[in-house]
Amino acid sequence: MKAEIGGEIKNIRAIWFENGKTVMIDQRKLPGELVICSFGDCASVAEAIRNMTTRGAPSIGAAAAYAMCMASLNGEDLDKAAETVRNARPTANDLFYAVDFMLSELRAGKDPVESADRYAQITVDKCRLIGKYGAGLIKNGMKIMTHCNAGALATVDVGTALAPMRQARDDGKDFFVYVSETRPRLQGMQLTAWELGQEGISHRIIPDGASAYYMSKGVDMIITGADRIASNGDFANKIGTFDKAIAAKYFGIPFYVAAPVSTFDFGTPSGDKIVIEERSETEVTEMNGRLIAPEGSHALNPAFDVTPASLVTGFITEKGILKPGEIQTVKE
Ligand code: MRU
Protein backbone atom coordinates (compact mmCIF):
# COMPACT_ATOMS: atom_id res chain seq x y z
CA MET A 1 0.00 0.00 0.00
CA LYS A 2 1.07 3.59 -0.51
CA ALA A 3 1.96 5.51 2.66
CA GLU A 4 3.49 8.91 3.14
CA ILE A 5 6.56 8.48 5.32
CA GLY A 6 8.67 11.55 6.13
CA GLY A 7 7.16 13.46 3.21
CA GLU A 8 7.89 10.63 0.75
CA ILE A 9 5.30 8.18 -0.68
CA LYS A 10 6.55 4.62 -0.09
CA ASN A 11 5.07 1.15 -0.65
CA ILE A 12 4.78 -0.84 2.56
CA ARG A 13 2.84 -3.83 3.85
CA ALA A 14 0.69 -4.08 6.98
CA ILE A 15 2.84 -6.89 8.40
CA TRP A 16 6.18 -8.57 7.61
CA PHE A 17 9.19 -10.35 9.15
CA GLU A 18 12.53 -8.60 9.63
CA ASN A 19 15.68 -9.28 11.71
CA GLY A 20 14.08 -12.11 13.66
CA LYS A 21 10.98 -10.13 14.53
CA THR A 22 7.38 -9.77 13.39
CA VAL A 23 6.91 -6.18 12.27
CA MET A 24 3.54 -4.47 11.74
CA ILE A 25 1.84 -1.12 11.33
CA ASP A 26 0.11 -0.17 14.58
CA GLN A 27 -3.37 0.34 13.12
CA ARG A 28 -4.62 1.89 16.37
CA LYS A 29 -2.48 4.96 15.74
CA LEU A 30 -3.67 5.77 12.21
CA PRO A 31 -4.44 8.17 10.67
CA GLY A 32 -2.63 10.51 13.06
CA GLU A 33 0.65 8.64 13.21
CA LEU A 34 2.24 5.87 11.14
CA VAL A 35 3.87 3.79 13.88
CA ILE A 36 5.72 0.56 13.05
CA CYS A 37 6.19 -1.87 15.95
CA SER A 38 7.95 -5.22 16.25
CA PHE A 39 7.54 -8.31 18.41
CA GLY A 40 10.05 -11.03 19.26
CA ASP A 41 7.87 -13.87 20.50
CA CYS A 42 4.65 -15.74 19.81
CA ALA A 43 2.72 -14.46 22.85
CA SER A 44 3.32 -10.81 22.01
CA VAL A 45 2.18 -11.30 18.39
CA ALA A 46 -0.96 -13.02 19.74
CA GLU A 47 -1.49 -10.05 22.05
CA ALA A 48 -1.09 -7.67 19.08
CA ILE A 49 -3.94 -9.56 17.37
CA ARG A 50 -6.07 -9.42 20.53
CA ASN A 51 -5.56 -5.70 21.15
CA MET A 52 -6.05 -4.87 17.45
CA THR A 53 -2.57 -3.49 16.75
CA THR A 54 -3.22 -5.50 13.59
CA ARG A 55 -6.74 -6.41 12.51
CA GLY A 56 -8.81 -7.52 9.53
CA ALA A 57 -9.18 -11.24 8.82
CA PRO A 58 -6.32 -11.85 6.32
CA SER A 59 -3.85 -9.67 8.28
CA ILE A 60 -4.86 -11.54 11.45
CA GLY A 61 -4.09 -14.74 9.49
CA ALA A 62 -0.62 -13.49 8.50
CA ALA A 63 0.05 -12.36 12.08
CA ALA A 64 -0.97 -15.82 13.29
CA ALA A 65 1.44 -17.39 10.78
CA TYR A 66 4.29 -15.18 12.04
CA ALA A 67 3.34 -15.91 15.67
CA MET A 68 3.72 -19.65 14.95
CA CYS A 69 6.99 -18.91 13.12
CA MET A 70 8.33 -17.11 16.22
CA ALA A 71 7.23 -19.99 18.45
CA SER A 72 9.19 -22.40 16.28
CA LEU A 73 12.28 -20.15 16.13
CA ASN A 74 12.19 -19.78 19.93
CA GLY A 75 11.86 -23.55 20.46
CA GLU A 76 8.41 -23.30 22.09
CA ASP A 77 5.91 -26.15 22.30
CA LEU A 78 3.94 -25.81 19.06
CA ASP A 79 0.63 -27.11 20.42
CA LYS A 80 0.68 -24.62 23.29
CA ALA A 81 1.66 -21.81 20.92
CA ALA A 82 -1.20 -22.78 18.58
CA GLU A 83 -3.63 -22.60 21.51
CA THR A 84 -2.35 -19.13 22.52
CA VAL A 85 -2.79 -17.86 18.96
CA ARG A 86 -6.21 -19.48 18.47
CA ASN A 87 -7.42 -17.78 21.67
CA ALA A 88 -6.43 -14.29 20.47
CA ARG A 89 -9.74 -13.55 18.69
CA PRO A 90 -12.61 -15.93 17.87
CA THR A 91 -14.30 -14.82 14.65
CA ALA A 92 -11.81 -14.39 11.76
CA ASN A 93 -11.50 -17.77 10.03
CA ASP A 94 -8.09 -16.85 8.59
CA LEU A 95 -6.53 -16.99 12.07
CA PHE A 96 -7.41 -20.69 12.47
CA TYR A 97 -6.58 -21.43 8.81
CA ALA A 98 -3.11 -19.87 9.24
CA VAL A 99 -2.35 -21.77 12.46
CA ASP A 100 -3.26 -25.08 10.75
CA PHE A 101 -1.17 -24.11 7.70
CA MET A 102 1.87 -23.40 9.88
CA LEU A 103 1.46 -26.52 12.04
CA SER A 104 1.48 -28.67 8.92
CA GLU A 105 4.52 -26.82 7.46
CA LEU A 106 6.50 -26.92 10.73
CA ARG A 107 5.69 -30.59 11.36
CA ALA A 108 6.92 -31.33 7.85
CA GLY A 109 10.26 -29.73 8.83
CA LYS A 110 9.87 -26.62 6.66
CA ASP A 111 11.75 -23.42 7.45
CA PRO A 112 9.49 -21.29 9.74
CA VAL A 113 10.35 -17.93 8.21
CA GLU A 114 10.05 -19.20 4.64
CA SER A 115 6.63 -20.76 5.43
CA ALA A 116 5.21 -17.66 7.17
CA ASP A 117 6.54 -15.38 4.41
CA ARG A 118 4.96 -17.67 1.83
CA TYR A 119 1.65 -17.56 3.71
CA ALA A 120 1.72 -13.74 3.67
CA GLN A 121 2.67 -13.67 -0.04
CA ILE A 122 -0.11 -16.12 -0.97
CA THR A 123 -2.56 -13.79 0.84
CA VAL A 124 -1.38 -10.81 -1.23
CA ASP A 125 -1.49 -12.80 -4.48
CA LYS A 126 -5.10 -13.83 -3.71
CA CYS A 127 -6.02 -10.20 -3.05
CA ARG A 128 -4.61 -9.17 -6.43
CA LEU A 129 -6.84 -11.78 -8.11
CA ILE A 130 -9.85 -10.55 -6.09
CA GLY A 131 -9.00 -7.09 -7.42
CA LYS A 132 -8.84 -8.36 -11.00
CA TYR A 133 -12.19 -10.15 -10.83
CA GLY A 134 -13.93 -7.43 -8.82
CA ALA A 135 -12.72 -4.54 -11.00
CA GLY A 136 -14.91 -5.85 -13.82
CA LEU A 137 -17.97 -4.93 -11.75
CA ILE A 138 -16.93 -1.28 -11.43
CA LYS A 139 -18.03 1.05 -14.21
CA ASN A 140 -17.18 4.68 -14.83
CA GLY A 141 -19.21 7.10 -12.72
CA MET A 142 -20.32 4.49 -10.16
CA LYS A 143 -21.04 5.25 -6.54
CA ILE A 144 -19.81 2.42 -4.30
CA MET A 145 -20.35 1.98 -0.56
CA THR A 146 -18.06 0.06 1.80
CA HIS A 147 -17.96 -0.61 5.55
CA CYS A 148 -15.14 -1.15 8.04
CA ASN A 149 -11.66 -1.60 6.56
CA ALA A 150 -11.08 -4.38 4.08
CA GLY A 151 -8.09 -2.67 2.51
CA ALA A 152 -4.35 -3.33 2.47
CA LEU A 153 -4.10 -2.79 6.22
CA ALA A 154 -6.55 -5.63 6.81
CA THR A 155 -4.99 -8.04 4.32
CA VAL A 156 -1.17 -7.59 4.39
CA ASP A 157 -1.46 -5.60 1.14
CA VAL A 158 -3.90 -4.63 -1.66
CA GLY A 159 -7.15 -5.48 0.21
CA THR A 160 -10.25 -7.53 -0.41
CA ALA A 161 -13.14 -5.02 -0.71
CA LEU A 162 -10.64 -2.30 -1.68
CA ALA A 163 -8.72 -4.46 -4.19
CA PRO A 164 -11.32 -4.05 -7.00
CA MET A 165 -11.27 -0.29 -6.36
CA ARG A 166 -7.46 -0.12 -6.58
CA GLN A 167 -7.55 -2.19 -9.79
CA ALA A 168 -10.40 -0.14 -11.32
CA ARG A 169 -8.48 3.06 -10.58
CA ASP A 170 -5.37 1.55 -12.24
CA ASP A 171 -7.58 0.68 -15.22
CA GLY A 172 -8.44 4.39 -15.53
CA LYS A 173 -12.00 4.21 -14.18
CA ASP A 174 -13.51 7.14 -12.34
CA PHE A 175 -15.79 6.30 -9.41
CA PHE A 176 -16.72 7.49 -5.93
CA VAL A 177 -16.76 5.67 -2.57
CA TYR A 178 -19.00 6.20 0.47
CA VAL A 179 -17.04 5.05 3.54
CA SER A 180 -19.15 4.39 6.62
CA GLU A 181 -17.28 5.40 9.74
CA THR A 182 -17.72 1.99 11.50
CA ARG A 183 -18.42 2.62 15.16
CA PRO A 184 -17.13 2.02 17.72
CA ARG A 185 -13.52 1.48 16.51
CA LEU A 186 -13.88 3.70 13.42
CA GLN A 187 -12.01 1.44 10.99
CA GLY A 188 -13.91 3.01 8.07
CA MET A 189 -13.10 6.60 8.93
CA GLN A 190 -9.59 6.08 10.27
CA LEU A 191 -8.27 3.29 8.04
CA THR A 192 -10.32 2.97 4.83
CA ALA A 193 -10.50 6.73 4.28
CA TRP A 194 -6.74 6.93 5.00
CA GLU A 195 -6.01 4.23 2.39
CA LEU A 196 -8.30 5.77 -0.24
CA GLY A 197 -6.70 9.17 0.44
CA GLN A 198 -3.18 7.75 -0.02
CA GLU A 199 -4.36 6.21 -3.33
CA GLY A 200 -6.10 9.38 -4.53
CA ILE A 201 -9.51 7.65 -4.79
CA SER A 202 -12.47 9.99 -4.45
CA HIS A 203 -14.49 9.32 -1.28
CA ARG A 204 -16.52 10.76 1.58
CA ILE A 205 -16.88 9.46 5.13
CA ILE A 206 -20.50 9.08 6.25
CA PRO A 207 -21.96 8.30 9.68
CA ASP A 208 -22.98 4.62 9.90
CA GLY A 209 -26.60 5.70 10.33
CA ALA A 210 -26.54 7.62 7.01
CA SER A 211 -26.05 4.52 4.84
CA ALA A 212 -29.73 3.95 3.94
CA TYR A 213 -30.15 7.68 3.29
CA TYR A 214 -27.35 7.69 0.71
CA MET A 215 -28.61 4.43 -0.78
CA SER A 216 -31.95 6.15 -1.34
CA LYS A 217 -30.09 8.90 -3.27
CA GLY A 218 -28.31 6.40 -5.52
CA VAL A 219 -25.60 3.88 -4.70
CA ASP A 220 -24.67 1.45 -7.48
CA MET A 221 -22.95 -1.27 -5.48
CA ILE A 222 -21.85 -2.22 -1.98
CA ILE A 223 -18.62 -4.16 -1.36
CA THR A 224 -17.53 -5.35 2.08
CA GLY A 225 -15.03 -7.88 3.36
CA ALA A 226 -15.82 -10.86 5.60
CA ASP A 227 -14.37 -12.43 8.71
CA ARG A 228 -15.94 -15.87 8.30
CA ILE A 229 -18.21 -17.30 5.63
CA ALA A 230 -20.27 -20.35 6.61
CA SER A 231 -20.88 -23.27 4.27
CA ASN A 232 -24.33 -21.94 3.25
CA GLY A 233 -22.97 -18.44 2.43
CA ASP A 234 -24.09 -16.66 5.61
CA PHE A 235 -21.15 -14.48 6.65
CA ALA A 236 -19.83 -12.60 9.66
CA ASN A 237 -18.37 -9.15 9.14
CA LYS A 238 -17.99 -5.94 11.12
CA ILE A 239 -21.06 -4.92 13.10
CA GLY A 240 -23.32 -2.82 10.87
CA THR A 241 -22.79 -4.93 7.73
CA PHE A 242 -26.15 -6.70 8.20
CA ASP A 243 -28.03 -3.35 8.33
CA LYS A 244 -26.43 -2.32 5.05
CA ALA A 245 -27.30 -5.60 3.37
CA ILE A 246 -30.97 -5.28 4.42
CA ALA A 247 -31.12 -1.69 3.15
CA ALA A 248 -29.39 -2.71 -0.10
CA LYS A 249 -32.03 -5.39 -0.69
CA TYR A 250 -34.78 -2.79 -0.10
CA PHE A 251 -33.27 -0.46 -2.71
CA GLY A 252 -32.26 -3.25 -5.14
CA ILE A 253 -28.55 -2.44 -4.84
CA PRO A 254 -26.10 -5.30 -5.58
CA PHE A 255 -24.25 -6.40 -2.42
CA TYR A 256 -20.85 -8.07 -2.91
CA VAL A 257 -18.56 -9.71 -0.35
CA ALA A 258 -14.85 -9.81 -1.25
CA ALA A 259 -12.84 -12.50 0.54
CA PRO A 260 -10.18 -15.14 -0.12
CA VAL A 261 -11.07 -18.82 0.19
CA SER A 262 -9.17 -18.88 3.54
CA THR A 263 -12.14 -16.93 4.99
CA PHE A 264 -14.62 -19.68 4.03
CA ASP A 265 -15.38 -22.06 6.89
CA PHE A 266 -16.91 -25.15 5.32
CA GLY A 267 -17.03 -26.80 8.75
CA THR A 268 -19.66 -24.33 9.93
CA PRO A 269 -23.00 -25.06 8.25
CA SER A 270 -24.70 -21.70 8.79
CA GLY A 271 -24.21 -18.24 10.24
CA ASP A 272 -25.95 -18.91 13.55
CA LYS A 273 -23.03 -21.23 14.45
CA ILE A 274 -20.38 -18.51 13.98
CA VAL A 275 -18.86 -17.31 17.27
CA ILE A 276 -19.28 -13.55 17.54
CA GLU A 277 -16.67 -11.71 19.56
CA GLU A 278 -18.02 -9.47 22.33
CA ARG A 279 -15.59 -6.65 23.07
CA SER A 280 -15.28 -4.34 26.05
CA GLU A 281 -18.18 -1.95 26.63
CA THR A 282 -15.64 0.86 27.12
CA GLU A 283 -15.11 0.90 23.32
CA VAL A 284 -18.70 2.23 23.20
CA THR A 285 -19.00 4.22 26.42
CA GLU A 286 -15.62 5.97 26.42
CA MET A 287 -13.86 8.33 24.03
CA ASN A 288 -10.13 8.95 24.46
CA GLY A 289 -10.31 7.31 27.90
CA ARG A 290 -13.15 9.59 29.06
CA LEU A 291 -16.64 8.30 29.95
CA ILE A 292 -19.19 9.72 27.49
CA ALA A 293 -22.20 7.61 28.56
CA PRO A 294 -24.25 8.37 31.65
CA GLU A 295 -22.68 6.85 34.74
CA GLY A 296 -24.46 3.56 35.48
CA SER A 297 -25.55 2.96 31.85
CA HIS A 298 -23.88 -0.11 30.36
CA ALA A 299 -23.27 -0.96 26.72
CA LEU A 300 -23.26 -4.06 24.53
CA ASN A 301 -20.45 -4.31 21.99
CA PRO A 302 -20.63 -7.19 19.50
CA ALA A 303 -17.68 -6.82 17.10
CA PHE A 304 -19.46 -8.56 14.21
CA ASP A 305 -22.89 -9.44 12.87
CA VAL A 306 -24.05 -12.20 10.56
CA THR A 307 -25.62 -11.42 7.20
CA PRO A 308 -27.70 -14.19 5.59
CA ALA A 309 -26.58 -15.52 2.22
CA SER A 310 -29.95 -14.50 0.73
CA LEU A 311 -28.84 -10.84 0.87
CA VAL A 312 -25.55 -11.46 -0.99
CA THR A 313 -25.32 -10.88 -4.75
CA GLY A 314 -21.91 -12.52 -5.06
CA PHE A 315 -18.65 -13.44 -3.36
CA ILE A 316 -15.58 -11.98 -5.08
CA THR A 317 -12.81 -14.54 -4.48
CA GLU A 318 -9.42 -15.36 -5.99
CA LYS A 319 -11.23 -18.12 -7.93
CA GLY A 320 -13.77 -15.76 -9.50
CA ILE A 321 -17.15 -14.30 -8.55
CA LEU A 322 -19.47 -16.87 -7.02
CA LYS A 323 -23.18 -16.78 -6.25
CA PRO A 324 -24.00 -17.96 -2.69
CA GLY A 325 -25.19 -21.31 -4.11
CA GLU A 326 -21.83 -21.84 -5.88
CA ILE A 327 -19.40 -21.52 -2.95
CA GLN A 328 -19.02 -25.28 -2.44
CA THR A 329 -17.08 -25.32 -5.72
CA VAL A 330 -14.07 -23.66 -4.03
CA LYS A 331 -13.87 -26.11 -1.10
CA GLU A 332 -10.16 -27.03 -0.79
O1 MRU B 1 -12.51 -6.09 14.22
P1 MRU B 1 -11.74 -6.00 12.93
O2 MRU B 1 -11.26 -4.62 12.63
O3 MRU B 1 -10.65 -7.05 12.85
O4 MRU B 1 -12.82 -6.37 11.85
C1 MRU B 1 -12.47 -6.35 10.50
C2 MRU B 1 -13.61 -6.54 9.60
O5 MRU B 1 -14.73 -6.80 9.98
C3 MRU B 1 -13.28 -6.51 8.17
O6 MRU B 1 -14.31 -5.92 7.44
C4 MRU B 1 -13.07 -7.96 7.75
O7 MRU B 1 -12.06 -8.56 8.54
C5 MRU B 1 -12.70 -8.09 6.40
S1 MRU B 1 -11.02 -7.71 6.29
C6 MRU B 1 -10.49 -7.91 4.76
Side-chain angles (χ1 to χ4, degrees), residues 280-297:
S280 164
E281 66 169 336
T282 59
E283 291 184 347
V284 178
T285 57
E286 293 183 2
M287 195 170 276
N288 302 324
R290 198 173 64 81
L291 186 70
I292 54 166
E295 218 160 299
S297 286

PDB file of all heavy atoms in Angstrom, residues 280-297:
ATOM      1  N   SER A 280     -15.036  -5.123  24.844  1.00  0.00           N
ATOM      2  CA  SER A 280     -15.282  -4.337  26.049  1.00  0.00           C
ATOM      3  C   SER A 280     -16.306  -3.229  25.797  1.00  0.00           C
ATOM      4  O   SER A 280     -16.268  -2.556  24.764  1.00  0.00           O
ATOM      5  CB  SER A 280     -13.961  -3.724  26.507  1.00  0.00           C
ATOM      6  OG  SER A 280     -14.221  -2.685  27.419  1.00  0.00           O
ATOM      7  N   GLU A 281     -17.182  -3.015  26.786  1.00  0.00           N
ATOM      8  CA  GLU A 281     -18.183  -1.947  26.635  1.00  0.00           C
ATOM      9  C   GLU A 281     -17.521  -0.566  26.603  1.00  0.00           C
ATOM     10  O   GLU A 281     -18.101   0.384  26.097  1.00  0.00           O
ATOM     11  CB  GLU A 281     -19.218  -2.002  27.760  1.00  0.00           C
ATOM     12  CG  GLU A 281     -18.670  -1.692  29.140  1.00  0.00           C
ATOM     13  CD  GLU A 281     -19.777  -1.508  30.177  1.00  0.00           C
ATOM     14  OE1 GLU A 281     -20.920  -1.180  29.824  1.00  0.00           O
ATOM     15  OE2 GLU A 281     -19.470  -1.695  31.365  1.00  0.00           O
ATOM     16  N   THR A 282     -16.294  -0.473  27.100  1.00  0.00           N
ATOM     17  CA  THR A 282     -15.643   0.859  27.118  1.00  0.00           C
ATOM     18  C   THR A 282     -15.365   1.365  25.698  1.00  0.00           C
ATOM     19  O   THR A 282     -15.238   2.565  25.491  1.00  0.00           O
ATOM     20  CB  THR A 282     -14.335   0.832  27.935  1.00  0.00           C
ATOM     21  OG1 THR A 282     -13.467  -0.139  27.342  1.00  0.00           O
ATOM     22  CG2 THR A 282     -14.576   0.498  29.388  1.00  0.00           C
ATOM     23  N   GLU A 283     -15.295   0.435  24.713  1.00  0.00           N
ATOM     24  CA  GLU A 283     -15.115   0.902  23.321  1.00  0.00           C
ATOM     25  C   GLU A 283     -16.319   1.742  22.884  1.00  0.00           C
ATOM     26  O   GLU A 283     -16.223   2.572  21.992  1.00  0.00           O
ATOM     27  CB  GLU A 283     -14.943  -0.293  22.373  1.00  0.00           C
ATOM     28  CG  GLU A 283     -13.628  -1.039  22.561  1.00  0.00           C
ATOM     29  CD  GLU A 283     -13.419  -2.168  21.558  1.00  0.00           C
ATOM     30  OE1 GLU A 283     -14.389  -2.545  20.864  1.00  0.00           O
ATOM     31  OE2 GLU A 283     -12.290  -2.677  21.478  1.00  0.00           O
ATOM     32  N   VAL A 284     -17.475   1.495  23.541  1.00  0.00           N
ATOM     33  CA  VAL A 284     -18.704   2.231  23.205  1.00  0.00           C
ATOM     34  C   VAL A 284     -18.912   3.419  24.140  1.00  0.00           C
ATOM     35  O   VAL A 284     -19.280   4.517  23.697  1.00  0.00           O
ATOM     36  CB  VAL A 284     -19.929   1.278  23.275  1.00  0.00           C
ATOM     37  CG1 VAL A 284     -21.223   2.022  22.973  1.00  0.00           C
ATOM     38  CG2 VAL A 284     -19.753   0.101  22.333  1.00  0.00           C
ATOM     39  N   THR A 285     -18.627   3.201  25.418  1.00  0.00           N
ATOM     40  CA  THR A 285     -19.004   4.220  26.417  1.00  0.00           C
ATOM     41  C   THR A 285     -17.927   5.274  26.668  1.00  0.00           C
ATOM     42  O   THR A 285     -18.191   6.274  27.326  1.00  0.00           O
ATOM     43  CB  THR A 285     -19.342   3.558  27.765  1.00  0.00           C
ATOM     44  OG1 THR A 285     -18.189   2.796  28.186  1.00  0.00           O
ATOM     45  CG2 THR A 285     -20.552   2.650  27.679  1.00  0.00           C
ATOM     46  N   GLU A 286     -16.696   5.001  26.160  1.00  0.00           N
ATOM     47  CA  GLU A 286     -15.623   5.968  26.419  1.00  0.00           C
ATOM     48  C   GLU A 286     -15.066   6.521  25.113  1.00  0.00           C
ATOM     49  O   GLU A 286     -15.092   5.861  24.091  1.00  0.00           O
ATOM     50  CB  GLU A 286     -14.473   5.299  27.190  1.00  0.00           C
ATOM     51  CG  GLU A 286     -14.866   4.901  28.601  1.00  0.00           C
ATOM     52  CD  GLU A 286     -13.701   4.298  29.382  1.00  0.00           C
ATOM     53  OE1 GLU A 286     -12.579   4.228  28.854  1.00  0.00           O
ATOM     54  OE2 GLU A 286     -13.954   3.895  30.527  1.00  0.00           O
ATOM     55  N   MET A 287     -14.572   7.740  25.178  1.00  0.00           N
ATOM     56  CA  MET A 287     -13.865   8.329  24.033  1.00  0.00           C
ATOM     57  C   MET A 287     -12.575   8.924  24.574  1.00  0.00           C
ATOM     58  O   MET A 287     -12.607   9.681  25.552  1.00  0.00           O
ATOM     59  CB  MET A 287     -14.726   9.400  23.378  1.00  0.00           C
ATOM     60  CG  MET A 287     -14.226   9.777  22.002  1.00  0.00           C
ATOM     61  SD  MET A 287     -15.432  10.809  21.156  1.00  0.00           S
ATOM     62  CE  MET A 287     -16.528   9.586  20.475  1.00  0.00           C
ATOM     63  N   ASN A 288     -11.460   8.518  23.989  1.00  0.00           N
ATOM     64  CA  ASN A 288     -10.128   8.952  24.458  1.00  0.00           C
ATOM     65  C   ASN A 288      -9.989   8.766  25.974  1.00  0.00           C
ATOM     66  O   ASN A 288      -9.508   9.658  26.679  1.00  0.00           O
ATOM     67  CB  ASN A 288      -9.849  10.410  24.083  1.00  0.00           C
ATOM     68  CG  ASN A 288      -9.933  10.625  22.588  1.00  0.00           C
ATOM     69  OD1 ASN A 288      -9.541   9.743  21.826  1.00  0.00           O
ATOM     70  ND2 ASN A 288     -10.452  11.768  22.164  1.00  0.00           N
ATOM     71  N   GLY A 289     -10.466   7.631  26.474  1.00  0.00           N
ATOM     72  CA  GLY A 289     -10.314   7.310  27.895  1.00  0.00           C
ATOM     73  C   GLY A 289     -11.290   8.045  28.808  1.00  0.00           C
ATOM     74  O   GLY A 289     -11.219   7.916  30.027  1.00  0.00           O
ATOM     75  N   ARG A 290     -12.207   8.813  28.230  1.00  0.00           N
ATOM     76  CA  ARG A 290     -13.152   9.594  29.060  1.00  0.00           C
ATOM     77  C   ARG A 290     -14.560   9.024  28.884  1.00  0.00           C
ATOM     78  O   ARG A 290     -14.995   8.750  27.743  1.00  0.00           O
ATOM     79  CB  ARG A 290     -13.118  11.055  28.570  1.00  0.00           C
ATOM     80  CG  ARG A 290     -13.678  12.067  29.567  1.00  0.00           C
ATOM     81  CD  ARG A 290     -13.439  13.485  29.049  1.00  0.00           C
ATOM     82  NE  ARG A 290     -14.150  13.776  27.807  1.00  0.00           N
ATOM     83  CZ  ARG A 290     -15.427  14.125  27.737  1.00  0.00           C
ATOM     84  NH1 ARG A 290     -16.160  14.234  28.801  1.00  0.00           N
ATOM     85  NH2 ARG A 290     -15.992  14.383  26.562  1.00  0.00           N
ATOM     86  N   LEU A 291     -15.274   8.839  30.000  1.00  0.00           N
ATOM     87  CA  LEU A 291     -16.635   8.302  29.950  1.00  0.00           C
ATOM     88  C   LEU A 291     -17.558   9.303  29.241  1.00  0.00           C
ATOM     89  O   LEU A 291     -17.601  10.479  29.612  1.00  0.00           O
ATOM     90  CB  LEU A 291     -17.132   8.049  31.384  1.00  0.00           C
ATOM     91  CG  LEU A 291     -18.489   7.358  31.505  1.00  0.00           C
ATOM     92  CD1 LEU A 291     -18.418   5.894  31.063  1.00  0.00           C
ATOM     93  CD2 LEU A 291     -19.009   7.445  32.941  1.00  0.00           C
ATOM     94  N   ILE A 292     -18.260   8.818  28.187  1.00  0.00           N
ATOM     95  CA  ILE A 292     -19.187   9.723  27.489  1.00  0.00           C
ATOM     96  C   ILE A 292     -20.641   9.257  27.641  1.00  0.00           C
ATOM     97  O   ILE A 292     -21.555   9.907  27.161  1.00  0.00           O
ATOM     98  CB  ILE A 292     -18.826   9.903  25.990  1.00  0.00           C
ATOM     99  CG1 ILE A 292     -18.714   8.546  25.283  1.00  0.00           C
ATOM    100  CG2 ILE A 292     -17.562  10.721  25.808  1.00  0.00           C
ATOM    101  CD1 ILE A 292     -18.689   8.640  23.769  1.00  0.00           C
ATOM    102  N   ALA A 293     -20.830   8.092  28.275  1.00  0.00           N
ATOM    103  CA  ALA A 293     -22.201   7.608  28.556  1.00  0.00           C
ATOM    104  C   ALA A 293     -22.571   8.029  29.972  1.00  0.00           C
ATOM    105  O   ALA A 293     -21.689   8.305  30.780  1.00  0.00           O
ATOM    106  CB  ALA A 293     -22.223   6.083  28.434  1.00  0.00           C
ATOM    107  N   PRO A 294     -23.875   8.050  30.272  1.00  0.00           N
ATOM    108  CA  PRO A 294     -24.253   8.374  31.651  1.00  0.00           C
ATOM    109  C   PRO A 294     -23.674   7.340  32.611  1.00  0.00           C
ATOM    110  O   PRO A 294     -23.632   6.150  32.278  1.00  0.00           O
ATOM    111  CB  PRO A 294     -25.782   8.284  31.633  1.00  0.00           C
ATOM    112  CG  PRO A 294     -26.181   8.245  30.213  1.00  0.00           C
ATOM    113  CD  PRO A 294     -25.018   7.769  29.412  1.00  0.00           C
ATOM    114  N   GLU A 295     -23.212   7.776  33.755  1.00  0.00           N
ATOM    115  CA  GLU A 295     -22.680   6.846  34.740  1.00  0.00           C
ATOM    116  C   GLU A 295     -23.790   5.856  35.099  1.00  0.00           C
ATOM    117  O   GLU A 295     -24.944   6.270  35.300  1.00  0.00           O
ATOM    118  CB  GLU A 295     -22.236   7.622  35.972  1.00  0.00           C
ATOM    119  CG  GLU A 295     -20.961   7.030  36.545  1.00  0.00           C
ATOM    120  CD  GLU A 295     -20.229   8.005  37.419  1.00  0.00           C
ATOM    121  OE1 GLU A 295     -19.822   9.090  36.919  1.00  0.00           O
ATOM    122  OE2 GLU A 295     -20.121   7.692  38.589  1.00  0.00           O
ATOM    123  N   GLY A 296     -23.450   4.562  35.131  1.00  0.00           N
ATOM    124  CA  GLY A 296     -24.459   3.556  35.483  1.00  0.00           C
ATOM    125  C   GLY A 296     -25.134   2.947  34.255  1.00  0.00           C
ATOM    126  O   GLY A 296     -25.783   1.921  34.362  1.00  0.00           O
ATOM    127  N   SER A 297     -25.009   3.569  33.078  1.00  0.00           N
ATOM    128  CA  SER A 297     -25.553   2.958  31.849  1.00  0.00           C
ATOM    129  C   SER A 297     -24.485   2.059  31.241  1.00  0.00           C
ATOM    130  O   SER A 297     -23.353   2.498  31.038  1.00  0.00           O
ATOM    131  CB  SER A 297     -25.926   4.032  30.825  1.00  0.00           C
ATOM    132  OG  SER A 297     -27.095   4.685  31.198  1.00  0.00           O
TER     133      SER A 297
END
